[in-house]
Amino acid sequence: NAGVTQTPKFQVLKTGQSMTLQCAQDMNHEYMSWYRQDPGMGLRLIHYSVGAGITDQGEVPNGYNVSRSTTEDFPLRLLSAAPSQTSVYFCASSYSPGGWGNEQFFGPGTRLTVL
Amino acid sequence: GNSVTQMEGPVTLSEEAFLTINCTYTATGYPSLFWYVQYPGEGLQLLLKATKADDKGSNKGFEATYRKETTSFHLEKGSVQVSDSAVYFCALTHTGTASKLTFGTGTRLQVTL
């Protein structure tokens, strides 16, 4: 199993550009999510999905879109990049939503810089 | 809402020293508690977890006990190694919130020879 994979590893954008961060998992996990990691702030939830066709907003959703057409993939779209979106982005998945103590598996991250 | 507070870092220790990283939380009901570790250049990995009061999670020599009376989940290790150098995150999730994790800000640990 490859686990959770993310592409690209690094990306530099100019303000106003759009891009998609890719995330895929091969563990047949129902639940997938996107976090951003900023210095001194830990990880904050952007969007999450409890299954194909179902998505919802997390703590910091503004400026980001998601869709979940398959169980395996959960891309994150930046429609018009802003310098405030400079961050490290992590995708995570777990077997099922809710319940007690479900472990989440994280991808290696995408480091995004917006100039 | 839910929140997690961790001690500020960085924490610098000599090899074989005792480690404690403090974590306290605010949540309604009975959350599950986690410690995740992030090694340089990598994503987060689950280190240990506890799902109910008085449970002790343990892994790789690390331990943490779920203390509901003090709303704490402090991470301890009796003898740290250089390979333990990483950032440690305390987190919680609440039943019914679709496994959404609330993280602390992270504590960087540096272990020297």
Side-chain angles (χ1 to χ4, degrees), chain A residues 1-54:
Chain A
N1 284 350
V4 181
T5 58
Q6 291 183 240
T7 57
K9 287 184 69 69
F10 302 95
Q11 183 71 48
V12 178
L13 292 178
K14 295 181 179 178
T15 297
Q17 286 185 316
S18 63
M19 79 159 296
T20 299
L21 279 62
Q22 301 291 345
C23 174
Q25 53 89 11
D26 61 358
M27 297 174 282
N28 201 32
H29 285 171
E30 290 184 46
Y31 180 84
M32 297 185 73
S33 55
W34 278 101
Y35 294 86
R36 58 178 289 172
Q37 183 180 26
D38 301 296
M41 302 190 73
L43 279 77
R44 293 180 292 168
L45 182 66
I46 304 171
H47 285 285
Y48 66 97
S49 168
V50 299
I54 307 169

Side-chain angles (χ1 to χ4, degrees), chain A residues 31 35 37 40-43 45 48 50 90 94 96-104 106-108, chain B residues 30-32 34 36 38 41-44 46 49 51 89 93 95-96 98-101 103-105:
Chain A
Y31 180 84
Y35 294 86
Q37 183 180 26
M41 302 190 73
L43 279 77
L45 182 66
Y48 66 97
V50 299
F90 289 99
S94 65
S96 65
W100 296 104
N102 288 316
E103 177 180 358
Q104 293 202 29
F106 284 80
Chain B
Y30 301 94
S32 296
F34 304 82
Y36 280 84
Q38 184 180 30
E42 298 183 11
L44 281 72
L46 179 66
K49 67 182 183 184
T51 58
F89 291 92
T93 187
T95 305
S99 292
K100 288 185 287 185
L101 282 165
F103 285 91
T105 54

Side-chain angles (χ1 to χ4, degrees), chain B residues 47-93:
Chain B
L47 180 60
L48 54 85
K49 67 182 183 184
T51 58
K52 61 183 187 295
D54 300 325
D55 265 2
K56 178 185 284 188
S58 62
N59 186 26
K60 299 181 181 179
F62 291 90
E63 293 182 340
T65 300
Y66 187 163
R67 302 285 189 200
K68 186 160 179 65
E69 64 275 13
T70 55
T71 61
S72 65
F73 193 54
H74 304 321
L75 183 68
E76 296 182 336
K77 186 175 186 182
S79 176
V80 294
Q81 306 299 312
V82 172
S83 57
D84 294 326
S85 298
V87 180
Y88 293 82
F89 291 92
C90 186
L92 68 81
T93 187

